[in-house]
Every structure is written in C-alpha cells, then in structure tokens.
Amino acid sequence: MGAEFYQFFLNTKILFQPGISGDFTNELSQLKIGSWLLVTDPFFAQNGVADKIRAGIEAGGYKVTGVFSEVPPNSELKVVQSCIELAKQGGAEAIVALGGGSAIDTAKAANIVLSLGGDLVEDYSGTQTIPRALNPLIAIPTTAGTGSEVTSSAVIFDEGTQRKLSFNDAYLRPSLALLDPELTLSLPPKATAMTGMDALTHSIESYTSVQTNPMSDALAMKAIKMIHLNLLKAVERGSDLEARSEMLIAANLAGIAFDQAMVGIVHAMSHATGGIAHVPHGMANSIYLPYGMEYNLAVRTERYAGIAKRLGVDTTKLDTMGAARAAIQAVRELRASLKRLCGLPDRLRDAGVQEGQLEEIARTAVEDGASFFNPREVVYEEVLGKIREAY
Ligand code: NAD
C-alpha cells in the first residue's frame, strides 16, 4: 500500500554555486540583520577562508562583530557556552556558521540561547523544546557529510555525562544554506571518505526507516547514486570540482531525506560509539553500515534490492533477496576501496574502541532515539552481536 499520510516541510533556502561563499550580499539584504558573528573551526581561521567570508559580509555594508574559531571536532557544551559569550559581548544579532557538522551544530545550539535566553541544556535539550522562531542562521558546510545545513537537529558532546546530547526542533533548521564546493577541495582523503560514508548512511537509513515518505525516498535514492558515482573520485583526486560538487549536493539531499524520515540502528550504534569511545561520527557509520543493513535485511529486502541498483549492481539475474544481499556486499566493497585508498578503518578495534566498551555501547544504542525509527526492534543481545562482529 502507498503512503496514507505524510508531510514535508523545509524552511531552509538552499543556494549552490562554486564560489558563492565569497559574495552573498543579495541574500544578506533579505535577512535584515546588521551584525553577524562568524563561527568556524581553527582550520578555516588559519587558511584565510574565514577572513574572505568576513570581508565579503563587510563589503556588503554589514558588521562582523567577531570570529569564534574554537570549534573542535564533535563540539562540546563548554564550546557552545564560549560562543554564546562572544556573540553577546560583541552584540551580534545572528550567526554565520562555516565548517563541518561540528561548527554548524555549535552555531545552531548557540543561536538558541542567543535568540531566546535561558539555559541550553535545562531548557532546550531533547525534542520540540523551542517555542518560537530563532534569529536567522546561515550555514556554509565544508564537509560533504552531515547535512546539518538543512537539518532540524544539533548534536553536542556533554562533558559531564560523556554522552552526545541532541537538540531537535524544526526551528533549528538554518534559514540559508550556501553550498560552495570550492570550500570542500581542501578536505583530506580520509575526512572526505568518512563524511561521504556519513551521507551514504543517511540516505540508506532514511530510505529504510519506519518514517519514509515519497519525498524523502526520492532524495535518498538520488543521493545514493550520486555518492556511488563520486565518492571514490573525490577521495582519489581531491581537486576534482565536479566530484566535490556532486558529493556536496548528495550530502545535502541526504540531509533533507533523513531529517524527514529519520535514521536507524546504524546511527544508534554510532552515536553510542562516538560518546563512549570518541570515534568520529562518519567513521563509526562507515564501520557499522553493513552490519546494520544485515540486521534489517529480512524486513527491508525489497528496499535494499532497490538500493543495489543505485550502488551500480546489475540485478537483472538476481532475485529480490539476492539483490538485497548484493547491496550489502556493494557497501562492503566500497569500504574496502576506501580502506585501501586512505586507510579508513572498517573495524571498531582499528578505530580505537576497546573490547571492554562493547556492552556499554550496545546498552546505550538500544536507548538512542534513532533506534525508535529502525524497522526492526533494536534488541540488546542482537545489537551486541552485531557490535561484536564489527569489532
Ligand atoms: P567536523 O565538522 O567535526 O570536522 C572534522 C575535521 O575536518 C575538523 O578538524 C575540521 O577542521 C576539518 N575540516 C572540515 N572541513 C574541512 C575542509 N573543507 N578542509 C579541511 N579540513 C576540513 O566533521 P563533520 O563530519 O562534518 O561533523 C561531525 C559532527 O556533526 C559530529 O558532532 C556529528 O555528531 C554531527 N552531526 C550532526 C548532524 C546534524 O544533523 N546536525 C548530522 C550528522 C552529524
């Protein structure tokens, strides 16, 4: 049976163009904000890109009150707090975020308090906690992975509990996403590989979740094909602007897809592994993806068979189960190529996870919000079995 009900809503304007991050004053004039804080990570503060973006904003007659450049990978609550303080000190009305998911999520979380006041964790962690629209936020992604520039969530590490804390609300979607593939040319091969696998995981999990809809399906399928055709190229030849462009768009499509349809067991295991063993999100997703697909194989056979075609498998001589298994095999082969090309680990032990942490990871994964959207119940003993296999 087809869909009985769905809704699709995206309040982010998306602009794609090589070089767009250097001049977007037309867009600024529509947002009617006089003073901006630029939030980025140390890499972009040092390589001159943050300065160029600052100069572009100022050339349009707008004030940049400061540049917060202390965002680490997997940003933390204390970093968000410092960002809020700098924004308040300079009197910034709104934020431009430049960087990967960590910089964008830091800006999203800071923007909540900047717009509404209150305590970030006490008042706003969790789902649908934001009572009204926030100040405008411009997101300029520099990795082709998280899709955070269009999603309604932010993920921040809580140093106190040693867990990743999530904030989920439609008001968290940035007002404007500027997709400039030139900014991704500097992303090293391994980071390109892991963030690309993050986008692939978003696409596959959103296409097989319990909350899919025709819009998210279309976006996810397009993204899978684009990633299949371009990820290895972008890893092998980082200067390939076409492959970089396709990957940035694919990650964006995948972000919209999973923001609507949600994700599943792979993300549940990755969130837990990121919090407990500090494995980068994309790397954890890459390690777990085939195991999570096997977990759901019996209940998503037809969907995996459809994915196989987008991953370049000739399915004409295969039955549905054969094609579904071939999709999982294609993901394994992609991971093997990435391991060969840039050393992306395909086992937890090679990503710094200790065997003694596996049970805690499984317990945490079962309780993770992503588990509730998985098409099969996430059961402790079974998930632990998959985590042990991935070890
Ligand atoms: P990241 O932002 O943590 O960046 C990783 C590293 O890559 C950093 O050292 C950064 O300086 C560097 N980098 C980024 N772009 C670069 C470039 N173009 N050239 C050279 N170096 C560059 O990586 P990420 O994978 O984009 O983000 C991960 C974070 O996003 C995690 O905290 C994860 O939980 C979160 N996340 C959020 C969402 C969401 O919807 N909000 C979705 C998925 C993941």
Side-chain angles (χ1 to χ4, degrees):
M1 192 176 68
E4 286 176 33
F5 168 81
Y6 71 89
Q7 58 177 329
F8 184 91
F9 178 67
L10 182 65
N11 48 336
T12 304
K13 179 174 181 179
I14 301 162
L15 286 182
F16 169 89
Q17 189 182 28
I20 184 83
S21 63
D23 179 9
F24 50 99
T25 43
N26 273 351
E27 299 303 318
L28 289 172
S29 67
Q30 290 170 34
L31 291 170
K32 305 197 187 322
I33 292 288
S35 56
W36 296 86
L37 176 74
L38 182 55
V39 173
T40 189
D41 67 35
F43 178 82
F44 289 103
Q46 281 154 23
N47 78 349
V49 170
D51 286 340
K52 270 190 207 150
I53 288 176
R54 177 182 195 149
I57 298 170
E58 288 173 342
Y62 303 91
K63 188 172 169 197
V64 176
T65 63
V67 179
F68 181 81
S69 60
E70 287 151 41
V71 178
N74 297 316
S75 191
E76 301 162 11
L77 286 175
K78 66 172 185 294
V79 176
V80 177
Q81 203 50 50
S82 313
C83 179
I84 294 166
E85 277 157 27
L86 187 69
K88 283 184 179 165
Q89 271 168 25
E93 294 168 69
I95 300 178
V96 177
L98 165 73
S102 299
I104 297 175
D105 284 8
T106 300
K108 282 171 152 177
N111 192 33
I112 303 173
V113 177
L114 201 60
S115 306
L116 303 176
D119 181 89
L120 181 64
V121 179
E122 290 293 312
D123 299 332
Y124 306 113
S125 63
T127 300
Q128 290 184 356
T129 54
I130 300 178
R132 60 180 168 79
L134 306 179
N135 298 348
L137 177 71
I138 300 177
I140 310 177
T142 62
T143 59
T146 70
S148 180
E149 71 278 6
V150 281
T151 70
S152 53
S153 49
V155 188
I156 303 290
F157 185 67
D158 180 341
E159 310 88 315
T161 61
Q162 293 284 301
R163 293 282 182 277
K164 283 191 153 190
L165 204 57
S166 72
F167 301 82
N168 309 294
D169 198 295
Y171 287 130
L172 276 176
R173 289 196 193 99
S175 337
L176 177 65
L178 296 175
L179 307 185
D180 181 351
E182 288 177 0
L183 297 179
T184 66
L185 295 175
S186 55
L187 194 63
K190 199 166 172 182
T192 303
M194 67 174 93
T195 50
M197 288 301 285
D198 189 19
L200 182 64
T201 308
H202 292 155
S203 326
I204 291 178
E205 288 216 286
S206 65
Y207 188 64
T208 50
S209 87
V210 295
Q211 199 173 277
T212 61
N213 68 52
M215 302 284 284
S216 62
D217 284 352
L219 296 164
M221 286 305 237
K222 174 76 176 165
I224 293 169
K225 189 165 183 181
M226 292 171 87
I227 295 165
H228 159 64
L229 293 174
N230 293 284
L231 177 56
L232 292 178
K233 283 187 201 168
V235 171
E236 267 181 312
R237 213 164 66 88
S239 58
D240 182 338
L241 186 62
E242 195 182 328
R244 292 291 196 181
S245 299
E246 294 286 292
M247 283 305 300
L248 188 59
I249 295 169
N252 185 254
L253 300 180
I256 302 169
F258 92 81
D259 196 44
Q260 306 284 331
M262 310 306 282
V263 282
I265 186 170
V266 177
H267 271 78
M269 296 188 289
S270 294
H271 291 154
T273 309
I276 293 162
H278 305 286
V279 177
H281 181 70
M283 185 184 289
N285 273 341
S286 182
I287 291 171
Y288 284 129
L289 183 55
Y291 299 98
M293 290 174 77
E294 283 168 0
Y295 190 93
N296 292 330
L297 176 62
V299 295
R300 284 295 181 266
T301 316
E302 277 187 27
R303 292 227 151 201
Y304 287 146
I307 287 171
K309 288 185 202 155
R310 272 73 182 183
L311 287 173
V313 178
D314 177 1
T315 57
T316 45
K317 294 198 174 82
L318 299 174
D319 63 12
T320 310
M321 181 54 89
R325 287 191 194 285
I328 302 175
Q329 183 56 25
V331 169
R332 287 192 184 281
E333 284 165 17
L334 178 59
R335 292 186 333 151
S337 300
L338 294 171
K339 188 177 181 182
R340 186 170 39 76
L341 284 173
C342 64
L344 186 68
D346 58 1
R347 296 192 314 181
L348 293 174
R349 69 181 66 201
D350 299 329
V353 179
Q354 306 296 315
E355 196 170 3
Q357 295 175 311
L358 302 186
E359 290 182 5
E360 191 189 355
I361 291 173
R363 272 196 301 276
T364 311
V366 171
E367 286 164 17
D368 188 90
S371 289
F372 301 107
F373 297 92
N374 195 63
R376 260 190 79 207
E377 189 183 351
V378 177
V379 179
Y380 173 74
E381 288 74 17
E382 285 189 62
V383 81
L384 179 59
K386 285 293 166 202
I387 291 170
R388 286 200 195 286
E389 283 179 45
Y391 182 74

